[in-house]
Amino acid sequence: QVTLWLKKIYGDVPIPEYEVNERTVDILHEVMECNEERDKDVTLLIEDMKDRATKYEAQAKYWQDILGGDLGLSKGSLSEEATTDLADLVESAMELEVEDTSLTSFYCAINSMTSELFETKSKNQEMELKVKNLTEKLTSAVVLEKQLEEDIKKLKESQAAEKAKAEIRSKNLKFLEDKSKDLKIRIFDAEDELVAAGLDQSLTHEALMKSSEELVAMLKEIEPFKKELASYHDLPP
């Protein structure tokens, strides 16, 4: 069945090669069935359209005989204005998709189209409102995004400046630490040279620092005595 269907489809053109197995045959068979069903539907539709066309032609001939034979009206016998009006009437009937040209059919079709027009306008107004709201939200979001970008830019610049300052402070601190170490080494070397030259040990930096600390402690100890002595100075001789 599949082979015959493919030959029918391709006609005189050779059938393209394909792998013949159970799966491919099943798929082609399913496609064949769908195609045949579609062809049947199309055939029925064509036959229906032919039947309608035959009925319309018979109905047109019927009215043509009545208008031309009984009433003596034909396209050539009508005035130019009547021909134009008749063409407008036919065009309006086709545009409105009415079954006949009676006033009732025209009124019903116009009312239906008017309702659709109002409904469409209402939907358009709703869509315009939604678009307006979305546009306002989008504009607000864009402004906020730009503000955030500016804030991020300023923050990065501030961080870069702070980083540069921190690096400078770090370099200065390292320089001072190195300088302090160098000065301590020089002081110790100078003290060693002075001691070697016969300098009194009590005049070295460490001895002087120790003496200074002892002096501060002694001053704190005599502070109460100084206050007590000051109270006697106010007595008469």
Side-chain angles (χ1 to χ4, degrees), residues 195-206:
V195 170
L199 179 67
D200 188 358
Q201 290 286 343
S202 62
L203 298 178
T204 61
H205 178 70
E206 292 182 356

Side-chain angles (χ1 to χ4, degrees), residues 186-198:
R186 289 186 181 183
I187 290 171
F188 289 145
D189 292 343
E191 287 179 351
D192 292 339
E193 290 178 2
L194 290 173
V195 170

